[in-house]
């Protein structure tokens, strides 16, 4: 068995807003093994980013507040670490790349200097060594004429190149975990395919574990070996990637997969669509958060929130009172 | 299947350049060739999908057709008139018949207007209805887009993204248009809401015999909704054909790579298929490559491609491709799809 790197238990994060308390993450538990690639999917606002940011203590406090839970990295709870300790983990062992590279790159600092700084800090190497290493890293992520481009500023790079720089920086200290938060959403499909291909290759070469956050079920299928589906601040289904697509067990996952246009559709067919809208998060749900939109809903679903439990094949877990294969309560 | 229908819109050699100015006296130093000679037709009741990477000129094409941007040159024939050369007053009248739905349902609705004012505004502006008539029409339109007509007195911020997009659709329908440019109408919406809006657009099309130019970067949604599909690259159309021809038998190397990049929601697919990964980025439209614009990223380009700019040629019936390597006599290649 592979070693467990991350073990997150019962994570709850809230935000205090003028409109009330937003229950962004409502008791999320998951694990990540060495070398594993975990996909996290779900629509906008379901808590994907806040979950990961909470684990790394990157949620702004206030308005944010981590109300409960633990996030063990190799046995140590990151949530109780002091700022020096957590910074060491973030800089060297767990790296995160964000959706919009422009907001995480400093616009008035050359790419070369931005890359060299953390290298000198965390790896304790000289400026000249850091420069060499930066060139290597940029070449590794496919930036042509890397040595010449170190002096350029972020706006002189294209969107795809900036995302590559972010990946290069995230990998610069050889992290054990790379958390990629929708790193390709803002990019074109051809560039997205380049980045996905790159990260897959780097994972094989460097053996790091990956958490890939996205709302695109296609991207997840191409990159993850395990998938967590989030809804309303909960993980509602978790499964090895193939089983999730072949035999989804949660009505929401089924709805999402069905609402995608079919490739081999011949005649014009109506798309399946999930009724209603994602939930507002101003109340912590006492019942199943998906009940108002669910086609399989039973009385029980309005009364009690189901927890993730194992069903079906190995490692497939779902939080649902209903067995979708029979339409009856379990 | 659509050949017996009438052509509603014919775009001929449409060009839109945005000048680039420099210096204190704002000297013109060049131009962004956003749309650089685009021709296509759309038949009555048909949906033409327009796809291509960011910055290739899709939005500019849509907006130039509506004269939201002044065309640099070219023609836009719509119901017998050339929109590109209408006088402002004539264009204003023609605009009743052609509408646009915007990408961003948040930015495209005036936050200080009620739903009634937003949807009723064009009717007031054209003076075709007033007071009670507008109220009735607004209620009818809200009905049409499946929103409760009691919502008429509310403001945009009280609605979700999907609901706002429905309001945008209702506004576009207010003047009974026959043609609607849908510029990425679903990209800003949640996955579970996208299907709702696409179904709505399809239902309305059937009910009202609407014609759509559907602009999107989601290639699988375009496949779903379109009768024909045009693929743009750096300001020009490189391939245009029936939906099926484009998706099942793409002939332009760019179309092939683009389709091969679509993420497929099936993990088994990735075990069985090798994707075509294009290298590099799209070049700047201010300074496009000589000859074929795609040649800098093309896996099969040679020296010849740098010299000659390919034009759209009909390869098989109704299937047009702009590539020097694809000729009508060519055997159809094996295509990864
Ligand atoms: N700084 C903040 N202040 C208040 N609310 C916040 C803040 N950050 C996040 N939230 C709220 O927490 C919830 C979860 O947000 P999160 O960013 O995790 O969603 P997400 O799943 O990553 O969505 P997306 O796909 O749009 O990135 C949302 O309702 C969001 O509005
Ligand atoms: N008003 C403008 N002034 C100057 N340049 C413009 C203007 N509008 C668009 N452009 C440029 O024209 C080119 C085509 O832009 P356009 O918005 O049509 O692309 P698009 O295909 O719609 O892209 P996207 O998928 O990102 O919406 C781009 O290079 C863009 O920067
Ligand atoms: Mg997010
Ligand atoms: Mg656009």
């Amino acid at each position: 068995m592979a070693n467990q790197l991350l073990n997150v238990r019962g994570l709850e994060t809230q935000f205090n807003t003028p409109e009330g308390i937003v229950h962004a993450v409502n008791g999320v538990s998951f694990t990540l093994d060495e070398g594993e690639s975990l996909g996290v999917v779900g629509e906008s606002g379901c808590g994907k980013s806040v979950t990961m940011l909470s684990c790394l203590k990157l949620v702004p406090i206030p308005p944010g507040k981590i109300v409960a839970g633990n996030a063990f990295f190799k046995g140590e709870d990151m949530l109780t670490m002091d700022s020096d300790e957590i910074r060491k983990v973030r800089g060297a062992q767990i790296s995160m790349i964000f959706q919009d590279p422009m907001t995480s790159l400093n616009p008035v600092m050359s790419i070369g200097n931005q890359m060299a700084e953390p290298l000198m800090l965390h790896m304790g190497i000289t400026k000249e060594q850091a420069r060499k290493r930066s060139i290597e890293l940029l070449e590794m992520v496919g930036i042509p004429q890397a040595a010449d481009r170190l002096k350029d500023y972020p706006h002189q790079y294209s969107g795809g190149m900036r995302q590559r720089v972010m990946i290069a920086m995230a990998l610069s200290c050889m992290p054990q975990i790379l958390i990629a938060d929708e790193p390709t959403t803002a990019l074109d499909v051809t560039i997205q395919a380049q980045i996905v291909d790159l990260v897959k290759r780097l994972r094989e070469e460097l053996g790091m574990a990956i958490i890939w956050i996205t709302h695109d079920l296609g991207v997840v299928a191409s990159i993850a070996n395990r998938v967590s589906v989030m809804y309303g601040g909960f993980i509602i289904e978790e499964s090895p990637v193939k089983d999730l697509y072949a035999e989804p067990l949660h009505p929401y996952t089924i709805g999402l997969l069905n609402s995608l246009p079919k490739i081999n559709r011949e005649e014009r067919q109506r798309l399946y669509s999930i009724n209603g809208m994602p939930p507002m998060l101003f109340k912590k749900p006492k019942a199943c958060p998906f009940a108002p939109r669910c086609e399989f809903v039973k009385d029980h679903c309005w009364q009690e929130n189901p927890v993730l439990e194992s069903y079906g094949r190995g490692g497939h877990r779902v939080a649902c009172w209903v067995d979708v294969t029979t339409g009856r309560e379990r | 299947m659509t050949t017996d229908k009438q052509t509603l819109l014919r775009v001929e050699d449409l060009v839109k350049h945005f000048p680039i100015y420099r210096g204190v006296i704002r000297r013109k130093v060049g131009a962004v060739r956003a749309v650089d000679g685009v021709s296509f037709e759309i038949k009555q009741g048909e949906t033409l999908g327009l796809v291509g990477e960011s910055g290739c000129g899709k939005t500019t094409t849509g907006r130039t057709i509506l004269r939201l941007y002044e065309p640099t040159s070219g023609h836009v024939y719509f119901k017998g008139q050339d929109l590109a050369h209408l006088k402002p007053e004539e264009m204003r009248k023609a605009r009743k018949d052609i509408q646009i739905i915007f990408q961003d349902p948040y930015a495209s609705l005036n936050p200080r207007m009620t739903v009634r004012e937003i949807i009723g505004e064009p009717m007031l502006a054209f003076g075709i209805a007033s007071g009670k008539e507008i109220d009735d029409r607004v209620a009818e339109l809200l009905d049409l887009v499946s929103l409760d007509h009691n919502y008429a007195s509310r403001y945009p911020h009280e609605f979700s993204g999907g609901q706002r997009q429905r309001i945008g659709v209702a506004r576009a329908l207010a003047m009974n248009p026959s043609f609607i440019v849908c510029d990425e109408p679903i990209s800003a919406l949640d996955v579970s809401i996208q299907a709702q809006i696409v179904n709505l657009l399809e239902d309305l099309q059937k009910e009202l015999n609407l014609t759509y130019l559907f602009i999107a970067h989601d290639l699988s949604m375009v496949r779903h909704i379109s009768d024909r599909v045009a693929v743009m690259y750096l300001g020009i159309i490189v391939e245009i054909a029936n939906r099926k021809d484009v998706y099942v038998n793409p002939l332009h190397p760019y179309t092939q790579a683009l389709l091969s990049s679509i993420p497929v929601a099936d993990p088994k697919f990735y075990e069985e298929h090798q994707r075509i990964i294009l290298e590099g980025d799209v070049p700047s439209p201010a300074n496009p490559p000589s000859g074929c614009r795609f040649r800098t990223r093309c896996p099969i380009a040679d020296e010849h491609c740098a010299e000659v700019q390919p034009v759209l040629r009909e390869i098989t019936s109704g299937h047009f491709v702009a590539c020097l390597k694809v000729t009508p006599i060519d055997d159809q290649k094996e295509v990864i799809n």
Side-chain angles (χ1 to χ4, degrees), chain A residues 44-45 47-50 99 181-182 213:
Chain A
S44 188
K48 306 181 294 294
S49 300
V50 171
Q99 177 161 354
D181 190 355
E182 312 233 23
I213 301 176

Side-chain angles (χ1 to χ4, degrees), chain A residues 158 190 194 268 270 274 293, chain B residues 53 192 196 203 225 278:
Chain A
S158 72
T190 63
Q194 290 174 0
R268 187 171 280 195
R270 259 179 93 77
I274 303 177
R293 306 175 74 186
Chain B
E53 290 172 278
S192 78
Q196 293 176 2
D203 292 346
I225 201 170
L278 280 184

Side-chain angles (χ1 to χ4, degrees), chain A residues 15 17 22 24 43-50 60 63 182 281:
Chain A
F15 291 95
T17 71
V22 176
E43 43 199 315
S44 188
C46 71
K48 306 181 294 294
S49 300
V50 171
E182 312 233 23
L281 300 168

